[in-house]
Amino acid sequence: MLGLQYAAERAPEWTSLVCANGLASVPRFEQEVRDLMAKLPGNVLDRTYGRELRGETRDPDYWVAQEEYMRACVLRTSSVSLDPELMSLTTFRTMIGHADYHVTGTLKDWDIFEALERIQVPTLVLGGEFDECVPTHLTDIAERIPDSEHVTQPGAAHMGYLEEEPLRDAYVSLIQDYMARVEARACRDETAERAAPAAVAGALQRDGRPGARRAAPVTSAERS
């Protein structure tokens, strides 16, 4: 999310940008996650979001339902564990709120869809087949960025980089392949830019325009 906004507003000279399972509109994303949860078996949406609205989060089943939601839409093959040394729950609560499906934090109105067309960086928009950031959301992001590719990883959810193998390796490979291709393209463009002045100088020398090498005088024998 930060990468998209920075690229849209600052026009950085980056070689590439990877929008990895990221979103461009919190209000739209929040509703899309609720719609996904409403389709899950076991009334997961009411057992989570409903209990939050009713103040019933002390019910042990609330956490069971949270696990079911995470397993379906966030991380399907690995165990879900939140390491306090690697994340800040305070930051999440401040910026998001309760959860991705119940946003009450400072980002609740964040939406940059209209600014995406200003991104001039080659961009990979990557998501999972079962991602809570649904493929249609990512498709709409890619359609607005002039130089972008959208890839949906089969079998993965929101955190493909934490899935079990072979999904984790496939996730990394998708990014590595894109970066290799876009970096090779950047090298070709840089080579072409360096070659262009030399080509222009050569043309000037050949056709005699200003700055061209002067032709040798024509002798009387050559004129005859």
Side-chain angles (χ1 to χ4, degrees):
M1 293 163 65
L2 178 59
L4 290 174
Q5 183 159 355
Y6 192 97
E9 294 183 356
R10 305 293 183 88
E13 294 183 359
W14 295 343
T15 302
S16 65
L17 167 66
V18 179
C19 175
N21 312 79
L23 53 136
S25 169
V26 168
R28 172 175 167 175
F29 171 70
E30 179 185 34
Q31 186 57 54
E32 288 168 340
V33 177
R34 289 183 196 171
D35 292 343
L36 276 178
M37 295 173 70
K39 297 175 184 177
L40 296 178
N43 204 19
V44 170
L45 182 61
D46 184 66
R47 290 161 60 208
T48 54
Y49 179 56
R51 283 195 172 113
E52 289 168 11
L53 296 179
R54 296 190 296 269
E56 300 172 358
T57 56
R58 292 186 178 182
D59 190 318
D61 184 63
Y62 170 76
W63 296 107
V64 174
Q66 286 284 354
E67 175 70 19
E68 293 174 16
Y69 148 63
M70 295 284 285
R71 182 66 63 195
C73 306
V74 179
L75 189 59
R76 296 176 67 85
T77 61
S78 296
S79 59
V80 179
S81 60
L82 303 178
D83 188 340
E85 296 297 323
L86 300 177
M87 66 166 293
S88 169
L89 189 58
T90 299
T91 301
F92 183 85
R93 294 299 189 201
T94 299
M95 301 182 75
I96 298 298
H98 289 276
D100 293 340
Y101 57 81
H102 187 187
V103 181
T104 57
T106 57
L107 290 178
K108 61 186 177 67
D109 298 319
W110 184 83
D111 187 321
I112 60 163
F113 261 110
E114 298 305 317
L116 295 178
E117 63 184 17
R118 299 203 299 266
I119 296 178
Q120 299 302 312
V121 180
T123 303
L124 171 64
V125 182
L126 176 60
E129 178 183 3
F130 303 104
D131 204 326
E132 63 174 353
C133 193
V134 296
T136 52
H137 191 124
L138 299 181
T139 296
D140 287 348
I141 291 176
E143 287 181 348
R144 286 167 170 77
I145 299 175
D147 185 359
S148 66
E149 295 182 22
H150 174 210
V151 177
T152 299
Q153 182 186 359
H158 190 60
M159 296 182 174
Y161 55 93
L162 294 180
E163 299 281 9
E164 295 289 349
E165 301 294 3
L167 288 175
R168 184 186 306 172
D169 183 65
Y171 184 94
V172 174
S173 295
L174 286 168
I175 295 176
Q176 288 177 328
D177 173 71
Y178 178 79
M179 292 179 68
R181 286 187 289 109
V182 80
E183 286 171 8
R185 187 177 74 181
C187 287
R188 290 194 300 269
D189 292 344
E190 184 177 347
T191 300
E193 288 177 3
R194 288 200 302 264
V200 171
L204 289 173
Q205 289 177 345
R206 288 192 299 272
D207 66 18
R209 290 201 300 268
R213 183 178 57 197
R214 292 183 179 179
V218 179
T219 65
S220 57
E222 289 174 331
R223 284 197 295 270
S224 61

mmCIF file of all heavy atoms in Angstrom, residues 67 70-80 130 153-169:
data_model
loop_
_atom_site.group_PDB
_atom_site.id
_atom_site.type_symbol
_atom_site.label_atom_id
_atom_site.label_comp_id
_atom_site.label_asym_id
_atom_site.label_seq_id
_atom_site.Cartn_x
_atom_site.Cartn_y
_atom_site.Cartn_z
ATOM 1 N N GLU A 67 -9.525 -18.512 13.387
ATOM 2 C CA GLU A 67 -8.616 -19.476 12.776
ATOM 3 C C GLU A 67 -9.178 -20.001 11.461
ATOM 4 O O GLU A 67 -8.441 -20.166 10.477
ATOM 5 C CB GLU A 67 -8.375 -20.630 13.746
ATOM 6 C CG GLU A 67 -7.536 -21.766 13.193
ATOM 7 C CD GLU A 67 -6.079 -21.399 12.993
ATOM 8 O OE1 GLU A 67 -5.615 -20.413 13.585
ATOM 9 O OE2 GLU A 67 -5.401 -22.121 12.228
ATOM 10 N N MET A 70 -8.674 -17.277 8.866
ATOM 11 C CA MET A 70 -7.269 -17.181 8.478
ATOM 12 C C MET A 70 -6.878 -18.338 7.574
ATOM 13 O O MET A 70 -6.177 -18.153 6.572
ATOM 14 C CB MET A 70 -6.390 -17.166 9.735
ATOM 15 C CG MET A 70 -6.574 -15.958 10.622
ATOM 16 S SD MET A 70 -5.777 -14.464 9.974
ATOM 17 C CE MET A 70 -4.063 -14.818 10.317
ATOM 18 N N ARG A 71 -7.339 -19.533 7.917
ATOM 19 C CA ARG A 71 -6.991 -20.717 7.132
ATOM 20 C C ARG A 71 -7.585 -20.666 5.736
ATOM 21 O O ARG A 71 -6.985 -21.166 4.775
ATOM 22 C CB ARG A 71 -7.477 -21.974 7.866
ATOM 23 C CG ARG A 71 -7.144 -23.285 7.175
ATOM 24 C CD ARG A 71 -5.654 -23.528 7.149
ATOM 25 N NE ARG A 71 -5.071 -23.671 8.470
ATOM 26 C CZ ARG A 71 -3.776 -23.603 8.738
ATOM 27 N NH1 ARG A 71 -2.926 -23.332 7.764
ATOM 28 N NH2 ARG A 71 -3.311 -23.749 9.960
ATOM 29 N N ALA A 72 -8.711 -20.045 5.576
ATOM 30 C CA ALA A 72 -9.372 -19.997 4.269
ATOM 31 C C ALA A 72 -8.835 -18.877 3.383
ATOM 32 O O ALA A 72 -8.699 -19.068 2.170
ATOM 33 C CB ALA A 72 -10.879 -19.819 4.468
ATOM 34 N N CYS A 73 -8.506 -17.715 3.957
ATOM 35 C CA CYS A 73 -8.231 -16.528 3.150
ATOM 36 C C CYS A 73 -6.857 -15.915 3.320
ATOM 37 O O CYS A 73 -6.469 -15.068 2.506
ATOM 38 C CB CYS A 73 -9.268 -15.442 3.477
ATOM 39 S SG CYS A 73 -10.982 -15.946 3.309
ATOM 40 N N VAL A 74 -6.123 -16.311 4.353
ATOM 41 C CA VAL A 74 -4.855 -15.645 4.642
ATOM 42 C C VAL A 74 -3.665 -16.579 4.463
ATOM 43 O O VAL A 74 -2.724 -16.281 3.729
ATOM 44 C CB VAL A 74 -4.859 -15.042 6.067
ATOM 45 C CG1 VAL A 74 -3.525 -14.361 6.369
ATOM 46 C CG2 VAL A 74 -6.003 -14.047 6.212
ATOM 47 N N LEU A 75 -3.687 -17.730 5.120
ATOM 48 C CA LEU A 75 -2.571 -18.672 5.066
ATOM 49 C C LEU A 75 -3.143 -20.082 5.161
ATOM 50 O O LEU A 75 -3.584 -20.504 6.220
ATOM 51 C CB LEU A 75 -1.605 -18.391 6.221
ATOM 52 C CG LEU A 75 -0.273 -19.114 6.235
ATOM 53 C CD1 LEU A 75 0.538 -18.824 4.985
ATOM 54 C CD2 LEU A 75 0.532 -18.718 7.474
ATOM 55 N N ARG A 76 -3.109 -20.808 4.059
ATOM 56 C CA ARG A 76 -3.859 -22.057 3.957
ATOM 57 C C ARG A 76 -3.098 -23.301 4.405
ATOM 58 O O ARG A 76 -3.700 -24.254 4.885
ATOM 59 C CB ARG A 76 -4.324 -22.265 2.512
ATOM 60 C CG ARG A 76 -5.296 -21.197 2.050
ATOM 61 C CD ARG A 76 -5.666 -21.370 0.589
ATOM 62 N NE ARG A 76 -6.437 -22.565 0.324
ATOM 63 C CZ ARG A 76 -7.752 -22.657 0.453
ATOM 64 N NH1 ARG A 76 -8.444 -21.601 0.868
ATOM 65 N NH2 ARG A 76 -8.389 -23.779 0.170
ATOM 66 N N THR A 77 -1.794 -23.331 4.231
ATOM 67 C CA THR A 77 -1.056 -24.580 4.449
ATOM 68 C C THR A 77 -0.111 -24.546 5.636
ATOM 69 O O THR A 77 0.330 -25.603 6.093
ATOM 70 C CB THR A 77 -0.235 -24.940 3.188
ATOM 71 O OG1 THR A 77 0.722 -23.902 2.926
ATOM 72 C CG2 THR A 77 -1.140 -25.091 1.981
ATOM 73 N N SER A 78 0.224 -23.386 6.156
ATOM 74 C CA SER A 78 1.116 -23.273 7.309
ATOM 75 C C SER A 78 0.329 -22.882 8.550
ATOM 76 O O SER A 78 -0.788 -22.368 8.451
ATOM 77 C CB SER A 78 2.207 -22.222 7.056
ATOM 78 O OG SER A 78 3.041 -22.598 5.993
ATOM 79 N N SER A 79 0.913 -23.133 9.709
ATOM 80 C CA SER A 79 0.274 -22.719 10.947
ATOM 81 C C SER A 79 0.382 -21.207 11.086
ATOM 82 O O SER A 79 1.374 -20.600 10.696
ATOM 83 C CB SER A 79 0.939 -23.401 12.150
ATOM 84 O OG SER A 79 2.311 -23.080 12.197
ATOM 85 N N VAL A 80 -0.652 -20.601 11.631
ATOM 86 C CA VAL A 80 -0.700 -19.154 11.804
ATOM 87 C C VAL A 80 -0.138 -18.802 13.170
ATOM 88 O O VAL A 80 -0.645 -19.248 14.194
ATOM 89 C CB VAL A 80 -2.140 -18.629 11.676
ATOM 90 C CG1 VAL A 80 -2.167 -17.124 11.892
ATOM 91 C CG2 VAL A 80 -2.714 -18.990 10.328
ATOM 92 N N PHE A 130 -6.878 -17.818 -3.513
ATOM 93 C CA PHE A 130 -7.827 -17.729 -2.399
ATOM 94 C C PHE A 130 -7.579 -16.495 -1.539
ATOM 95 O O PHE A 130 -8.007 -16.428 -0.394
ATOM 96 C CB PHE A 130 -7.738 -18.996 -1.553
ATOM 97 C CG PHE A 130 -7.986 -20.259 -2.329
ATOM 98 C CD1 PHE A 130 -6.925 -21.077 -2.685
ATOM 99 C CD2 PHE A 130 -9.264 -20.621 -2.719
ATOM 100 C CE1 PHE A 130 -7.140 -22.246 -3.406
ATOM 101 C CE2 PHE A 130 -9.493 -21.777 -3.444
ATOM 102 C CZ PHE A 130 -8.426 -22.589 -3.795
ATOM 103 N N GLN A 153 -1.516 -16.526 -8.187
ATOM 104 C CA GLN A 153 -0.830 -17.780 -7.889
ATOM 105 C C GLN A 153 -1.842 -18.856 -7.503
ATOM 106 O O GLN A 153 -2.551 -18.712 -6.506
ATOM 107 C CB GLN A 153 0.180 -17.593 -6.752
ATOM 108 C CG GLN A 153 0.943 -18.867 -6.436
ATOM 109 C CD GLN A 153 1.834 -18.740 -5.220
ATOM 110 O OE1 GLN A 153 1.911 -17.674 -4.607
ATOM 111 N NE2 GLN A 153 2.508 -19.805 -4.859
ATOM 112 N N PRO A 154 -1.896 -19.951 -8.246
ATOM 113 C CA PRO A 154 -2.836 -21.034 -7.915
ATOM 114 C C PRO A 154 -2.538 -21.642 -6.544
ATOM 115 O O PRO A 154 -1.377 -21.837 -6.178
ATOM 116 C CB PRO A 154 -2.598 -22.065 -9.029
ATOM 117 C CG PRO A 154 -1.956 -21.301 -10.138
ATOM 118 C CD PRO A 154 -1.137 -20.234 -9.473
ATOM 119 N N GLY A 155 -3.590 -21.893 -5.774
ATOM 120 C CA GLY A 155 -3.452 -22.591 -4.503
ATOM 121 C C GLY A 155 -3.059 -21.741 -3.321
ATOM 122 O O GLY A 155 -3.132 -22.200 -2.175
ATOM 123 N N ALA A 156 -2.637 -20.510 -3.557
ATOM 124 C CA ALA A 156 -2.154 -19.656 -2.464
ATOM 125 C C ALA A 156 -3.255 -18.724 -1.975
ATOM 126 O O ALA A 156 -4.239 -18.475 -2.671
ATOM 127 C CB ALA A 156 -0.950 -18.846 -2.912
ATOM 128 N N ALA A 157 -3.051 -18.193 -0.767
ATOM 129 C CA ALA A 157 -3.971 -17.196 -0.220
ATOM 130 C C ALA A 157 -3.228 -15.861 -0.100
ATOM 131 O O ALA A 157 -2.524 -15.464 -1.016
ATOM 132 C CB ALA A 157 -4.522 -17.664 1.127
ATOM 133 N N HIS A 158 -3.365 -15.188 1.035
ATOM 134 C CA HIS A 158 -2.834 -13.828 1.159
ATOM 135 C C HIS A 158 -1.339 -13.772 1.446
ATOM 136 O O HIS A 158 -0.681 -12.792 1.129
ATOM 137 C CB HIS A 158 -3.592 -13.101 2.274
ATOM 138 C CG HIS A 158 -3.321 -11.638 2.353
ATOM 139 N ND1 HIS A 158 -3.571 -10.769 1.312
ATOM 140 C CD2 HIS A 158 -2.812 -10.867 3.369
ATOM 141 C CE1 HIS A 158 -3.250 -9.540 1.673
ATOM 142 N NE2 HIS A 158 -2.775 -9.572 2.913
ATOM 143 N N MET A 159 -0.800 -14.809 2.055
ATOM 144 C CA MET A 159 0.614 -14.809 2.432
ATOM 145 C C MET A 159 1.341 -15.965 1.767
ATOM 146 O O MET A 159 1.781 -16.916 2.428
ATOM 147 C CB MET A 159 0.767 -14.868 3.959
ATOM 148 C CG MET A 159 0.219 -13.659 4.684
ATOM 149 S SD MET A 159 0.485 -13.768 6.478
ATOM 150 C CE MET A 159 -0.088 -12.151 7.001
ATOM 151 N N GLY A 160 1.482 -15.870 0.448
ATOM 152 C CA GLY A 160 2.116 -16.948 -0.301
ATOM 153 C C GLY A 160 3.538 -17.233 0.124
ATOM 154 O O GLY A 160 4.019 -18.365 0.028
ATOM 155 N N TYR A 161 4.228 -16.220 0.629
ATOM 156 C CA TYR A 161 5.623 -16.373 1.052
ATOM 157 C C TYR A 161 5.766 -17.170 2.348
ATOM 158 O O TYR A 161 6.879 -17.558 2.732
ATOM 159 C CB TYR A 161 6.272 -14.993 1.241
ATOM 160 C CG TYR A 161 5.527 -14.086 2.182
ATOM 161 C CD1 TYR A 161 5.836 -14.030 3.528
ATOM 162 C CD2 TYR A 161 4.490 -13.274 1.712
ATOM 163 C CE1 TYR A 161 5.149 -13.200 4.392
ATOM 164 C CE2 TYR A 161 3.796 -12.438 2.563
ATOM 165 C CZ TYR A 161 4.127 -12.408 3.897
ATOM 166 O OH TYR A 161 3.434 -11.584 4.751
ATOM 167 N N LEU A 162 4.651 -17.434 3.041
ATOM 168 C CA LEU A 162 4.683 -18.232 4.267
ATOM 169 C C LEU A 162 4.024 -19.596 4.094
ATOM 170 O O LEU A 162 4.002 -20.393 5.043
ATOM 171 C CB LEU A 162 3.976 -17.478 5.406
ATOM 172 C CG LEU A 162 4.641 -16.187 5.893
ATOM 173 C CD1 LEU A 162 3.814 -15.557 7.010
ATOM 174 C CD2 LEU A 162 6.057 -16.445 6.360
ATOM 175 N N GLU A 163 3.483 -19.877 2.911
ATOM 176 C CA GLU A 163 2.858 -21.172 2.678
ATOM 177 C C GLU A 163 3.913 -22.287 2.694
ATOM 178 O O GLU A 163 5.110 -22.046 2.572
ATOM 179 C CB GLU A 163 2.130 -21.185 1.324
ATOM 180 C CG GLU A 163 1.007 -20.181 1.185
ATOM 181 C CD GLU A 163 -0.286 -20.606 1.857
ATOM 182 O OE1 GLU A 163 -0.285 -21.620 2.596
ATOM 183 O OE2 GLU A 163 -1.303 -19.924 1.643
ATOM 184 N N GLU A 164 3.446 -23.511 2.840
ATOM 185 C CA GLU A 164 4.350 -24.656 2.742
ATOM 186 C C GLU A 164 4.806 -24.832 1.301
ATOM 187 O O GLU A 164 4.163 -24.348 0.370
ATOM 188 C CB GLU A 164 3.648 -25.925 3.234
ATOM 189 C CG GLU A 164 3.276 -25.907 4.713
ATOM 190 C CD GLU A 164 4.482 -26.014 5.640
ATOM 191 O OE1 GLU A 164 5.596 -26.307 5.131
ATOM 192 O OE2 GLU A 164 4.318 -25.800 6.855
ATOM 193 N N GLU A 165 5.913 -25.563 1.139
ATOM 194 C CA GLU A 165 6.355 -25.890 -0.209
ATOM 195 C C GLU A 165 5.349 -26.846 -0.860
ATOM 196 O O GLU A 165 4.701 -27.624 -0.172
ATOM 197 C CB GLU A 165 7.745 -26.553 -0.160
ATOM 198 C CG GLU A 165 8.831 -25.687 0.481
ATOM 199 C CD GLU A 165 9.157 -24.431 -0.323
ATOM 200 O OE1 GLU A 165 8.514 -24.182 -1.363
ATOM 201 O OE2 GLU A 165 10.048 -23.702 0.095
ATOM 202 N N PRO A 166 5.165 -26.760 -2.187
ATOM 203 C CA PRO A 166 5.930 -25.943 -3.139
ATOM 204 C C PRO A 166 5.360 -24.531 -3.355
ATOM 205 O O PRO A 166 5.881 -23.794 -4.179
ATOM 206 C CB PRO A 166 5.827 -26.758 -4.424
ATOM 207 C CG PRO A 166 4.470 -27.377 -4.340
ATOM 208 C CD PRO A 166 4.257 -27.702 -2.876
ATOM 209 N N LEU A 167 4.306 -24.161 -2.608
ATOM 210 C CA LEU A 167 3.686 -22.853 -2.825
ATOM 211 C C LEU A 167 4.644 -21.717 -2.503
ATOM 212 O O LEU A 167 4.684 -20.713 -3.221
ATOM 213 C CB LEU A 167 2.417 -22.727 -1.970
ATOM 214 C CG LEU A 167 1.214 -23.561 -2.413
ATOM 215 C CD1 LEU A 167 0.078 -23.424 -1.406
ATOM 216 C CD2 LEU A 167 0.755 -23.143 -3.800
ATOM 217 N N ARG A 168 5.430 -21.875 -1.431
ATOM 218 C CA ARG A 168 6.348 -20.801 -1.046
ATOM 219 C C ARG A 168 7.398 -20.576 -2.133
ATOM 220 O O ARG A 168 7.672 -19.435 -2.519
ATOM 221 C CB ARG A 168 7.036 -21.141 0.274
ATOM 222 C CG ARG A 168 7.943 -20.029 0.792
ATOM 223 C CD ARG A 168 8.701 -20.477 2.016
ATOM 224 N NE ARG A 168 7.788 -20.982 3.044
ATOM 225 C CZ ARG A 168 8.201 -21.585 4.162
ATOM 226 N NH1 ARG A 168 9.485 -21.782 4.368
ATOM 227 N NH2 ARG A 168 7.331 -22.003 5.055
ATOM 228 N N ASP A 169 7.965 -21.656 -2.635
ATOM 229 C CA ASP A 169 8.978 -21.534 -3.681
ATOM 230 C C ASP A 169 8.376 -20.936 -4.948
ATOM 231 O O ASP A 169 9.016 -20.132 -5.627
ATOM 232 C CB ASP A 169 9.588 -22.898 -3.983
ATOM 233 C CG ASP A 169 10.705 -22.823 -5.012
ATOM 234 O OD1 ASP A 169 11.741 -22.193 -4.717
ATOM 235 O OD2 ASP A 169 10.534 -23.380 -6.109
#
